[in-house]
Amino acid sequence: MSGGEKSENEEDVKTKPTKGEKRRGRSPSKREPIADIEDIMFSIDKVQTMRSSLLDWYDLSHRDLPWRRLDKGQPETRGYGVWVSEIMLQQTRVQTVVEYYKRWMHRWPTVQHLSRASLEEVNEMWAGLGYYRRARFLLEGAKLIVEEGGEFPKTVSALRKIPGIGEYTAGAIASIAFDEVVPVVDGNVIRVIARLKAISGNPKDSKLVKQVWKAAAQLVDPSRPGDFNQALMELGATLCTPTSPSCSTCPVFDHCEALSISKDDSSVLVTDYPAKGIKTKQRHDYSAVCVVEILENQSTSELKQSSRFLLVKRPDEGLLAGLWEFPSVLLNGEADSSTRRESINSLLSKSFGLEPKKNFEIVIREDVGDFVHVFSHIRLKIYVEHLVIRLKGEGSKLFRKQEKKSISWKCVDKKVMSSMGLTSSVRKVYAMVEKFEAEKISPSPAVATKKQRPTSTNLSCRSC
């Protein structure tokens, strides 16, 4: 198990030629050719030496991680624990995963426990890890295993039938938990083998990846397959890193062709192998988020009133599926305050039947600020506003009626808000509003000398 990012379904990327291409008889102006499989395989003598060196290094130097402490005498529990760790580690760094993993295993220590959880409970536990589809696959997989008798699958072929388990994850679970002699290949392993064999091709090229799987299958130790696979990934995660490899402390440096070439030719670097990919350009999106706070009583005083916040559940498919957030709308690019408010007003009217003057009055409406939240493929600029309202007349009845009929939205108080598992972007929105309100009540000395912003208590319908 590595600490780098890995994915079962990576996008292809373009590559640029490396300095080592000319030395290896390749034209820098042409796309890197894929070598024959014989070029990437290791001699029998090297295989034996590399196995021994890697395992000795791993025994002395591996990181102490909670999923590595699982009892080998309980393979089914170990299988479940390895599965959870591997899914969490996809696209997420080790230091982030550790605490999530501990909390998850404390709440759902076995696949049977997990199978009884709800998707909302799982999403709340997962909140902040991102790529929430992974959490849903864990839950669906646990339910499937229990429905089929409860025995945890022990082989790659059986594991591949579980939702969300691809070739890499199946190999990791089967070898680490059940000692099946199979290889695993993630981005770290591709980089290590590409450097050992001085392969400067595209690390995402399907033909090259297929060759690396064959080379990894040749290397895997038959007596300790799980430990060996972890050693190879650990090497890539800690020493043979993308930009700063520690070649002098590498246990297999004397078998590394990239290092040998670099020593002979100062214009060639170990980091030239494999080729650098050109990342796909991120899409730029814009969103207006409205933190709707509903006062609970009809008092004219705005101080010390209890209130609830309106949360909306996202669709069960797509980005952040099934998670709770504040009402929001996507915008067509940058937008001024008036345009954003018109979009929010339309959303509140169509989705909740909320109409200013007709069934609610505005107590406060202010722009809080904006920030950028980055997903793997989207750069989302989020504009935040705080809208405090008091329901009146038929509005209160309509709201209660909708809340009973639908679970697509709900109202929660501050105590519930603080304990909910919300995404990092939703938590940031809420924190911005809380900070903004706190600064209005108790401004810093520098702010206090400036003219205070008036409270917006009498806004026209157009500004609603």
Side-chain angles (χ1 to χ4, degrees):
M1 288 162 282
S2 74
E5 297 180 355
K6 49 182 174 280
S7 172
E8 299 289 357
N9 297 299
E10 300 268 12
E11 293 183 1
D12 286 342
V13 294
K14 298 177 181 179
T15 59
K16 59 183 180 181
T18 69
K19 297 174 185 176
E21 287 179 325
K22 185 175 180 180
R23 182 169 186 82
R24 292 178 62 84
R26 298 162 183 154
S27 171
S29 63
K30 296 180 180 179
R31 183 178 175 86
E32 171 68 28
I34 301 299
D36 292 334
I37 189 63
E38 288 77 15
D39 294 337
I40 202 172
M41 301 301 278
F42 299 90
S43 68
I44 299 300
D45 290 342
K46 278 192 175 183
V47 168
Q48 297 294 342
T49 303
M50 289 170 66
R51 283 175 181 169
S52 177
S53 299
L54 273 169
L55 286 170
D56 288 345
W57 169 78
Y58 180 75
D59 289 341
L60 291 173
S61 306
H62 70 270
R63 290 169 293 179
D64 181 23
L65 301 172
W67 45 88
R68 289 177 174 165
R69 303 177 204 143
L70 296 167
D71 188 352
K72 292 187 177 182
Q74 299 181 15
E76 292 225 352
T77 301
R78 186 172 168 85
Y80 168 69
V82 172
W83 177 35
V84 172
S85 72
E86 290 297 342
I87 298 301
M88 285 187 172
L89 285 166
Q90 291 174 12
Q91 308 294 342
T92 311
R93 296 184 179 278
V94 164
Q95 56 265 39
T96 302
V97 166
V98 169
E99 291 306 316
Y100 278 92
Y101 179 84
K102 290 178 180 177
R103 290 194 296 269
W104 181 287
M105 296 300 288
H106 177 74
R107 184 165 183 180
W108 300 303
T110 68
V111 70
Q112 286 76 18
H113 287 90
L114 177 58
S115 70
R116 295 191 287 269
S118 68
L119 180 58
E120 186 170 342
E121 289 173 326
V122 167
N123 280 337
E124 287 188 359
M125 182 66 73
W126 197 270
L129 270 179
Y131 299 91
Y132 289 83
R133 190 183 181 200
R134 297 177 294 165
R136 191 180 78 228
F137 278 145
L138 274 171
L139 178 59
E140 291 176 359
K143 290 182 181 295
L144 179 62
I145 290 170
V146 171
E147 286 171 3
E148 295 186 350
E151 183 178 356
F152 198 90
K154 297 178 174 61
T155 65
V156 167
S157 59
L159 286 161
R160 288 297 303 272
K161 297 175 183 177
I162 304 300
I165 295 184
E167 189 174 15
Y168 163 82
T169 305
I173 299 169
S175 62
I176 296 169
F178 304 109
D179 288 325
E180 185 175 4
V181 185
V182 291
V184 296
V185 172
D186 67 352
N188 289 309
V189 173
I190 292 173
R191 183 170 59 258
V192 168
I193 291 181
R195 288 174 179 173
L196 286 170
K197 300 300 292 184
I199 299 170
S200 56
N202 179 355
K204 304 295 177 63
D205 185 283
S206 59
K207 292 181 180 178
L208 188 146
V209 172
K210 187 176 180 180
Q211 290 185 19
V212 172
W213 272 96
K214 291 183 178 180
Q218 182 196 23
L219 287 174
V220 63
D221 187 272
S223 61
R224 296 176 62 188
D227 288 342
F228 181 85
N229 286 335
Q230 290 182 93
L232 200 57
M233 290 186 286
E234 186 86 339
L235 181 66
T238 61
L239 296 185
C240 195
T241 60
T243 58
S244 303
S246 301
C247 299
S248 61
T249 57
C250 175
V252 290
F253 76 92
D254 51 344
H255 300 289
C256 182
E257 293 185 24
L259 179 60
S260 177
I261 292 171
S262 179
K263 287 180 177 179
D264 291 342
D265 185 346
S266 60
S267 69
V268 180
L269 303 176
V270 170
T271 52
D272 290 334
Y273 304 93
K276 306 297 187 297
I278 301 175
K279 294 183 178 179
T280 303
K281 188 176 181 180
Q282 287 181 323
R283 189 177 81 224
H284 287 226
D285 286 350
Y286 303 84
S287 173
V289 175
C290 185
V291 178
V292 180
E293 186 174 357
I294 305 159
L295 298 181
E296 291 288 274
N297 57 53
Q298 300 299 314
S299 170
T300 56
S301 172
E302 295 178 25
L303 299 176
K304 297 183 180 179
Q305 294 193 61
S306 60
S307 62
R308 296 188 297 165
F309 292 89
L310 177 61
L311 294 177
V312 183
K313 191 175 184 182
R314 292 183 62 86
D316 290 332
E317 297 293 334
L319 185 67
L320 305 177
L323 297 171
W324 293 97
E325 64 181 10
F326 296 110
S328 65
V329 291
L330 284 175
L331 305 168
N332 294 321
E334 298 273 6
D336 59 23
S337 179
S338 177
T339 301
R340 299 197 301 268
R341 289 189 176 187
E342 287 179 6
S343 298
I344 289 294
N345 290 343
S346 177
L347 172 69
L348 295 178
S349 175
K350 292 179 181 178
S351 299
F352 312 105
L354 291 174
E355 301 280 355
K357 288 193 174 181
K358 181 179 178 181
N359 53 26
F360 76 87
E361 64 176 296
I362 293 176
V363 178
I364 298 172
R365 189 168 196 175
E366 296 176 304
D367 291 325
V368 174
D370 59 71
F371 66 97
V372 173
H373 186 74
V374 179
F375 298 92
S376 61
H377 57 294
I378 300 171
R379 185 181 185 275
L380 179 64
K381 185 172 184 178
I382 300 173
Y383 298 93
V384 182
E385 74 164 328
H386 184 204
L387 173 60
V388 182
I389 67 174
R390 183 180 290 111
L391 299 176
K392 62 181 183 179
E394 294 298 314
S396 181
K397 295 179 182 179
L398 175 66
F399 217 56
R400 287 198 298 269
K401 182 179 178 181
Q402 287 195 20
E403 192 169 13
K404 289 178 181 179
K405 290 181 63 177
S406 173
I407 60 169
S408 61
W409 59 268
K410 63 183 178 182
C411 292
V412 300
D413 59 27
K414 289 187 176 182
K415 184 176 181 181
V416 174
M417 278 288 296
S418 63
S419 63
M420 285 184 68
L422 301 171
T423 66
S424 57
S425 61
V426 174
R427 287 201 303 268
K428 184 165 186 177
V429 167
Y430 185 55
M432 284 178 66
V433 170
E434 286 194 309
K435 182 180 179 181
F436 185 82
E437 293 303 304
E439 289 176 348
K440 285 199 307 178
I441 297 172
S442 303
S444 64
V447 175
T449 59
K450 298 180 181 179
K451 185 178 180 180
Q452 298 297 307
R453 296 180 63 180
T455 301
S456 304
T457 56
N458 295 303
L459 302 182
S460 67
C461 290
R462 182 175 179 82
S463 67
C464 297

